[in-house]
Amino acid sequence: MPDARTEILARVREALVGSAIDPVQTVAPRAATPVATRELVDLFAERVADYRAVVERCSAEDLEDRIAAALPAGQVIVPPGLSLRVPDAIVDDGTLTAAELDLIAAVVTEARVGIAETGTIVLDHTPDQGRRAISLVPDTHICIVREDQVVADVPEAIALLDPARPQTWISGPSATSDIELDRVEGVHGPRTLHVLITPPRDVTS
Amino acid sequence: MSGTFVGMPAFPEAAREALTDSQLRHNLAHATSTIRAKRAKVVAEVPDWEELRLAGAAVKERALLDLETQLVRLEETLTANGATVHWARDAAEANAIVAGIAKAHAATEVVKVKSMVTQEIGLNEALAEEGIAAWETDLAELIVQLGDDLPSHILVPAIHRNRAEIRDIFRSKMGAAGRPAPDDLTDEPAVLAAAAREHLREKFLRAKVGVSGANFAVAETGTLVVVESEGNGRMCLTLPEVLVSVVGIEKVVSRWEDLDPMLRLLPRSSTGERMNPYTSMWSGIAPGDGPQEVHVVLLDNGRTRALADEVGRQALRCIRCSACLNVCPVYERTGGHAYGSVYPGPIGAILNPLLKGVGHDEQTDSLPYASTLCGACFEVCPVRIDIPSVLVDQRAQVVDAHRGGVPKPEAMAMKGAAYVLGRSRRLSAVERLTGIGMRFARRFGPTAWTGARDLPDAPGESFRDWWLRTDGGRTDGGRNDDQKG
Ligand code: SF4
């Protein structure tokens, strides 16, 4: 008997005998017409808040204070490449186990892309965001998004993102509607998502 | 440890029974109308929705018509990314591969992301036979699993259960599976969700092996995508040392940018959200981040059979959004169990016969008739599957399959009525004959399914007669209860 791979590929070939590949290459329509950054960021903030995430906009100078105010009681962890200092935070060195991360109350990360149309934050887990587990297990996620990271819609985000990197697309806190379709925020992911939107770095530095 | 669909009665019978359950019908009507309204609202926000549907259909169609190349490419890129690729012709092979990986790590349990394909192949039952517990971690799947029950909807599998039933299931069953429910458990959804969080967290934290499906697999980049809401997916994909993903060969898309129309279409069609809470993507192994041993099982299990069907092959475009269930007047009244498969509703009515082939069992053969051909499913389908046309074609195939050989009474009826395909007279004839079959079954031995339940009396009235008389269940049609089966 041929191995499974050989046989499946042969069945696929046979199934398609006489079927030509459709030469029509439909291109997905663009999203809404590009608008000024200011409007994009407004839309992003509004759409993230629609998911019942906490959204604040603040200057770079205020950022550390806002983070401090947003942190719950308990320990906080930050990724090794976070571009600002969070007092008393544990800097992740990749050694904490899942069970140890479960004892930590909050995480502060940056992000790669914000998508205005859908209110989505994309993490690609570079050192300013850290490995996936640290933004998953703690119950509060404070996420910093810079205004120049916000794009209009999904196609712009896809074009910017590197498929080689692991990614987490986040649209609001964890949620379920499994019980009589009542929406409940917070099942397994962080129950609190706190998004801080700040001006681009080059403007403030 | 969960129920099974094997040996269920044909659709008209199962539907008939489901229709007598008023709690079920109330829950379903509420669920489907709520999701329909949400979907309509967010779809209306997208000015180019119809073009987006065309793009979504084209992405899947292109990959399917070039499937051999795409699969070979996917294998190459996954392997280059550090993943191990396995191929499985059928459910038994796929289950054996997953069990083998778990055993190689001496795992006695795995944590699972909700996945249609692992239900399709009966993975949990197969692992249980090998002494490996498979924990469902999606809230609805947990409710179904703890209740030793069957899923009834693709998106909200426990939609047939109300909050009080869920509380009772958690109270009585959580303890045996791990951390018990708290003593003061109420039936508030937030309280029930919190209990599930506590119950499952210990399993996530200690899990060595995670099992998932995938919504999409990108051939060009070797990327798998899982779309979810609760974060249980992220837990299963991130925390275990070993990750095994069972992926139907129809999940492949060619290019990275093909994800764009799909990720715009799926959440709006499915949960009626602009975007679902969490989408995870991974391309093999990411050093120092997540599972450091990654397996992908590419599964056929009837998909090449469906691919060979020129009319039916479009069903392989399906992205399991469940929009067609929510608009289906038949589904809304019968629920998912009546379809006897993990794939219920309009898509189930065509996909099951395509995957399994017709002419072998009455249950599958009855599914193409579980429709009024109203066309609502096609209108909402984000990848433009023309379900009504496939249904009509499948009906013809059912009839053909029963030509020749030893004709069953049902086959005779089909034969005689073949030229009035889709016409109501013919459908009622078939239904009445199916009723005769059930009376026969009552005498000569119950099936696995009926053995576990009271066998319903053969209805004095067929599904279609009932439908006409009661305007599809909107009125009671002046029926007496003593007619109840
Ligand atoms: S057939 Fe279309 S509408 Fe139905 S679940 Fe599949 S993709 Fe969704």
Side-chain angles (χ1 to χ4, degrees), chain B residues 154 318-325 347 377 380-383 385 387:
Chain B
I154 293 177
C318 175
I319 55 175
R320 315 276 188 262
C321 73
S322 71
C324 58
L325 277 61
I347 182 60
C377 46
V380 295
C381 178
V383 287
I385 300 170
I387 295 175

Side-chain angles (χ1 to χ4, degrees), chain B residues 220-342:
Chain B
E220 169 191 74
T221 60
T223 308
L224 297 191
V225 181
V226 164
V227 172
E228 55 135 352
S229 293
E230 295 172 9
N232 61 308
R234 291 176 70 190
M235 291 279 177
C236 294
L237 300 170
T238 307
L239 300 183
E241 295 157 25
V242 180
L243 173 61
V244 191
S245 305
V246 182
V247 182
I249 54 173
E250 85 285 14
K251 295 293 176 192
V252 67
V253 299
S254 324
R255 305 165 308 179
W256 171 248
E257 57 265 37
D258 289 342
L259 289 179
D260 162 38
M262 308 327 283
L263 290 177
R264 281 196 272 169
L265 287 163
L266 178 53
R268 288 185 203 256
S269 301
S270 180
T271 47
E273 294 168 300
R274 296 185 183 111
M275 193 60 85
N276 51 291
Y278 298 133
T279 298
S280 296
M281 304 188 190
W282 71 103
S283 300
I285 293 168
D289 186 350
Q292 297 298 296
E293 184 180 323
V294 171
H295 297 265
V296 179
V297 183
L298 297 175
L299 175 76
D300 181 348
N301 206 34
R303 284 154 179 80
T304 50
R305 176 203 292 277
L307 188 67
D309 186 314
E310 284 186 27
V311 177
R313 90 171 37 127
Q314 56 184 309
L316 294 176
R317 289 187 215 145
C318 175
I319 55 175
R320 315 276 188 262
C321 73
S322 71
C324 58
L325 277 61
N326 301 327
V327 297
C328 179
V330 176
Y331 177 87
E332 183 179 320
R333 289 162 182 80
T334 63
H337 291 162
Y339 295 81
S341 159
V342 295

Side-chain angles (χ1 to χ4, degrees), chain A residues 7 11 29 163 171 174 180 187, chain B residues 89 163 230 264 277 283 300:
Chain A
E7 195 174 330
R11 286 184 198 164
S171 306
S174 153
E180 295 183 11
V187 194
Chain B
R89 276 171 282 227
R163 61 183 72 191
E230 295 172 9
R264 281 196 272 169
S283 300
D300 181 348

